[in-house]
Every structure is written in structure tokens, then in C-alpha cells.
Amino acid sequence: MRMILIILLCCCASAAAHDGSVTLAGDGALIRYRGMLLALDGAVADPAEQTVDLRLRSGSLPLWQSINRRKGKVRVRITALPGPGEASALLLDFGKNGYRIVILSTGMAEQDYPLLAQRYPGADLALLLEKGQRVMVKQERQQDSPFQFSDIKR
């Protein structure tokens, strides 16, 4: 009985430790954060699971324009930043201690991944396009999907 309780506590603790996730879907992604669901570039969520709160297209905002969305206590600010070349990038900022995700509408050579930290110093994760498919990069390394994340104290 004691062993079952320990296993249940470990499972519950690990599930509660994550504030959000990113699931790649072709050239798009589903981004979940504390009950908010964002669909990027046509990614489709299971309607039985959760309704999409915001649909985004990479490169859709004019440079330096921001939009804010709120769902209950959760908020996200989306800002268009200069990207590599002429394409813009989107920065998703989930608040003071929230996660920051930069979304590029173009690809980037793997040897150039270190430039992401210089170009977007506040971003915790980058979503790039490679050969028509989304990839996730964190600290210069590709990540598997789904990728789970937690808030960061800044």
C-alpha cells in the first residue's frame, strides 16, 4: 500500500511540475500553457480535448506590432521581431516568470543555432522550419515533441 502511494505521489508531482507543452504538427505546432491553447500555422487540435484559444500564422504580424490575449489569469503577449533575412519572427511571452518562445517563419542551418541566443536573448525555446517541418531548439539542441516546460524565475 505504501509503495502504491509513493508511485501515485511521484506521478502527480511530475505532472504538476509542467506549466505547458509544445507539440509539433507538420509545419505547425500546438502550444499549451496553463489551460490556454495556441495553434500555430494550421496545426489542428483534437476538438474533444480542448478548444483552440488563438490561431497564429508565423510572419503574420507587422514588425514590432504586439497583440495581447488573456484567458482567465493566463496571458500571452505576441510580438513581431526581426527574423533572419526579411522574414519576421514571433515572440510569445507568457508573463513575468512565464516561458518565452520565439517562432521563426524560415529555417536556419544547424551550425547557426548558437546565434539564436544572441538574436533572441530572452527566448527559452525556438521553433524553426526545416525542410517544411517544424523543429524545436533549446540551448542549441533540437528537442523531441512533445516538449514540456515550466515557468522560469527571472
Side-chain angles (χ1 to χ4, degrees), residues 21 30-38 44-53 55 71:
S21 67
L30 295 171
I31 302 166
R32 292 173 175 83
Y33 183 75
R34 295 186 175 187
M36 182 182 279
L37 176 60
L38 292 84
V44 179
D46 180 357
E49 180 188 344
Q50 185 179 357
T51 304
V52 174
D53 298 300
R55 296 185 188 283
K71 180 179 181 180

Side-chain angles (χ1 to χ4, degrees), residues 97-131:
N97 291 323
Y99 217 70
R100 293 181 184 149
I101 301 171
V102 67
I103 302 167
L104 294 144
S105 55
T106 61
M108 172 177 258
E110 194 168 343
Q111 66 266 19
D112 293 334
Y113 287 175
L115 297 175
L116 288 167
Q118 294 171 5
R119 192 171 198 55
Y120 310 103
D124 303 302
L125 181 72
L127 299 180
L128 316 171
L129 269 177
E130 282 192 8
K131 299 177 185 167

Side-chain angles (χ1 to χ4, degrees), residues 6 28 36 44 48 50 56 61 82 84 98 105 117 132 141 151:
I6 290 171
M36 182 182 279
V44 179
Q50 185 179 357
L56 296 170
L61 282 177
S105 55
R141 296 176 55 198
D151 286 344

Side-chain angles (χ1 to χ4, degrees), residues 4 12 16 32 34 38 43 63 69-70 72 75 85 89 105 108 114 130 135-136 145 148 151:
I4 293 171
C12 293
R32 292 173 175 83
R34 295 186 175 187
L38 292 84
L63 197 58
R69 292 291 184 264
R70 184 176 290 278
R75 76 149 188 90
S105 55
M108 172 177 258
E130 282 192 8
V135 295
M136 290 182 279
S145 177
Q148 295 182 326
D151 286 344

